[in-house]
Amino acid sequence: MADEVIDKAAAKDRVKRKKAVKDRWWAVAFIAPSFLLVAVFVYGFIGWTGYVSLSNWNSLTPDFSFAGLANYIYLFQDFRFQADLRNTLFFTLLFIGFVIVSGLGLAVLIDQKLKAETLFRNIFLFPMALSFVVTGVVWQWLLNPSTGYNTFLAFFGIQPLWYTDTTILGGFQWGSIEFGLPVAIIALVIAAVWQMTGFSLAMYLAGLRGIPEELREAARVDGASEWKVYMKVVIPLLLPITVSVVIIMAHISLKIFDLVYAMTGSGANFVTDVPGVYMFETTFRANYYANGAAIAMVMLILVAVFIVPYLLANRRREG
Amino acid sequence: MLKKSVGLVGSSLLLFGLAACGGGGSDSGSGSENEGSSGGSGEGGSDAEVEIFSWWTGAGEEDGLMALIDMFEEEHPDISVENAAVAGGAGTNAKAVLATRMQGDDPPSTFQVHGGAELNDSWVAADKMEPLNDFYEEEELNDKFPEELVDMVSSDGDIYSVPVNIHRGNVMFYNMEVFEENDIEPPSDIDEFFEVAEELEAAGVTPLAMGDKESWPATQIYENLLLANLGPEDYEALWEGEVGFDDERVATATEQFGQMLEYVNEDHASRNWQDSAQMVADGEAAMINMGDWAKGYFVNDLGLEVNEGFGYTPFPGTSEEFMVITDTFGLPKGVENPEQVKEFLSVLGSKEGQDTFNPLKGSIPARVDADESKYDEYGQDTMEDFQETSLTPSLAHGSAASEGFVTKANQAVNIFVTQGDEEKLMESMQTALDEEQQ
């Protein structure tokens, strides 16, 4: 009797194991196509771009002879590329900063058990539904030096030049460019923040809802003011959300192309130029394929600097 | 487990689907409807189609293209035409799409390309074009275009494309009312320009409108100043590298360029050429240097009349020259049905074809024997000038030098417009030219 039970159990086990092996094969079979596609169309082409960036292919006739780092050296000596890196740095800092502050601020406001919560949430989320191109075209007119907000600001006697301003705040000569905050970038930041705040708002709102009420209660019982509750309890608990927002915004900001292309173009003296626009023009207008590939690789490295540590940290946490 | 597998299947299918769409999309472009309508015969007899690639999507030019296509289809009911136009000013987007297709060995049947370096240094040099000498013989086209024009579409004695239209780049359009009110005449040389500009500024009018959100309108002013100072022969020699940017006359032109920029509207960097041309139409600004597609804009988009709403005069100091921008069409290598494409080129090069297209587009015909009565006052004047003046290739529009150099020149000009460093501009131009000629 007892033997029989054991036999049955063993048989069941065998079937299970067989099924597990079979399942694994199925899993491999199902993953293989997308794995292959990603391997070829994502990583394969990244490799190809890297190869082209080391070649002499700078005309319509392909020329794969080895150029070493010539294309990269050219870029880092180039006025326009230096300006691009400066612009990207300041754009990224301002953009992420404002998206976090405004997203968190709005999320806290909405979290106050408002009556029309859904309405406000939708209003703030709405810009996210637009593409950057639409945003760019609209803000191009709103922040135009001769129309838009300036017709209103004229009452107060202020006429900012917005994205046509060529001033570099706190500028000093560095390399071939003036290093400092390009005023024109602020116009781009306003448009980008307007569009992406809804995203960080949604993230933070979810985060706020995830913080148990007891924690806040406990702090209040200990005599903490509402301000202290936020500063000492809520915001520290939102740190993982902040990290995610920074990562996602950073990769949008480092790769940005469409907003700039639609709204301002390269700008006078390249004050609103970004690597994405330079890459497009170099590759498809000037037919400097190797130069364009080098710009793409620099952009990839910039994004990787942000993303890779994040992925590694995530893996460690999960593992 | 089952759900997961289904999900995976779904997502891999989706991936495949996307990949397929991507491939198909870039092949057929905007013409997928046409392909659909030709139905089953499309597979076997796909050679009965001619795909025309251009950036003619604006008012006037699109009408011109459509009229041309209608004319062709009437003559050749057995050949269907696919209009693969890509929107975007001055063809910037279209050129990017074209480069991708040509690199991928998927050329359109024929495509719009400016005569000069844009054709010769790019596609001909990359060995992507068929010579059309025999075609010119058959169609008896050899003496129908000015010699200087045929030179622009030829490389090493072979002809590579058929010019359809001519635009002039060295035109100064002006607001007649503004000039009348202030009792001044439009300037005919550069000194006069500065005198007039002073007077206009004193009267509270922006003397010169410019819209350099994209840099080429500024580059266009610079090339016209170079032409005015160097004269037609040395102007061309400059791009050939025979006259250097250290030439005194180049320095003068550069200085004048800087001075001229002092008279432009402050918000120039936020405007494109249409927005700046509108300033002249509205009387906010007095003059604008623009290729004569601006005439099409004034007439078709703004509803103005020639010599009433706006006047025109050659760019100061260049009345004896004609800065040519010519749209041409060639025959790429690797096209399946070259004979039928040639049929289309033949319509394009014919007197009737050119006289159908150009009045609508607002340009003048490339042929010298066209019917003048079909053109407006501006067109007739320009046709006369076209035959009597020296033709010079435009840099800003890719006829004088390769796209690579043009892009670098535009960058240097963009920096100059803000920084005003003459030495730096000439130096960057010389460096870029040297690199290009290596």
Side-chain angles (χ1 to χ4, degrees), chain B residues 26 51 88 100 137 147 162 217 222 255 273 301 321 352 378 401 410 415 429:
Chain B
S26 63
E51 186 192 10
T100 314
E137 289 285 325
E147 226 181 280
V162 182
Y222 188 40
E255 198 188 326
W273 74 263
D301 297 69
E321 288 88 32
E352 295 70 31
Y378 176 85
N410 280 332
I415 294 168
M429 297 289 270

Side-chain angles (χ1 to χ4, degrees), chain B residues 173-189:
Chain B
F173 290 97
Y174 61 94
N175 186 305
M176 300 181 86
E177 228 169 274
V178 169
F179 273 81
E180 269 162 38
E181 272 170 21
N182 293 291
D183 198 25
I184 35 182
E185 291 288 313
S188 62
D189 62 35

Side-chain angles (χ1 to χ4, degrees), chain A residues 54 63 113 120 137 160 163 174 186 196 228 236 240 250 276 306 310 315 319:
Chain A
L54 298 175
D63 172 2
K113 320 236 156 25
F120 283 113
V137 171
Y163 58 85
W174 195 40
I186 294 171
M196 295 314 293
K228 270 214 159 141
F306 271 85
Y310 173 73
R315 232 183 110 88

Side-chain angles (χ1 to χ4, degrees), chain A residues 30 34 57 60-61 74 79-80 140 145-146 163-164 166 261 263-264 267-270 278 284-286 288-289, chain B residues 5 8-9 15 92-93 96 99-100 103 122-123 126 213 267 270-271 403-404 407-408 411 414-415 418-419 436:
Chain A
F30 280 127
S34 55
W57 184 13
L60 282 171
T61 325
Y74 171 79
F79 174 89
R80 184 172 180 182
Q140 170 202 350
S146 35
Y163 58 85
T164 60
T166 52
Y261 196 72
M263 185 172 159
T264 65
N269 212 17
F270 296 112
Y278 190 19
F284 293 109
R285 211 168 287 175
Y288 292 137
Y289 290 88
Chain B
S5 318
L8 273 172
V9 175
L15 261 176
T92 47
N93 298 332
T100 314
Q103 293 286 357
S122 306
W123 305 120
K213 195 176 173 190
D267 62 351
S270 68
R271 289 177 186 264
E403 291 287 297
T407 308
K408 282 187 181 164
Q411 289 180 14
N414 183 355
I415 294 168
T418 304
Q419 299 186 348
E436 213 46 47

Side-chain angles (χ1 to χ4, degrees), chain B residues 326-339:
Chain B
T326 176
D327 289 308
T328 73
F329 284 79
L331 177 61
K333 279 191 176 162
V335 169
E336 278 175 25
N337 50 341
E339 286 315 310

Side-chain angles (χ1 to χ4, degrees), chain B residues 23 32 46 109 134 152 192 219 271 344 359 407 417-418:
Chain B
S32 49
S46 66
S109 307
D134 296 343
M152 274 193 209
E192 263 181 59
T219 309
R271 289 177 186 264
F344 182 77
T407 308
V417 170
T418 304

Side-chain angles (χ1 to χ4, degrees), chain B residues 237-273:
Chain B
L238 183 67
W239 309 126
E240 303 291 334
E242 289 152 15
V243 170
F245 269 87
D246 50 4
D247 192 288
E248 240 169 74
R249 292 165 297 171
V250 174
T252 313
T254 313
E255 198 188 326
Q256 289 165 346
F257 183 31
Q259 285 168 353
M260 237 178 215
L261 291 173
E262 284 167 24
Y263 295 104
V264 303
N265 46 302
E266 209 188 337
D267 62 351
H268 57 89
S270 68
R271 289 177 186 264
N272 57 25
W273 74 263

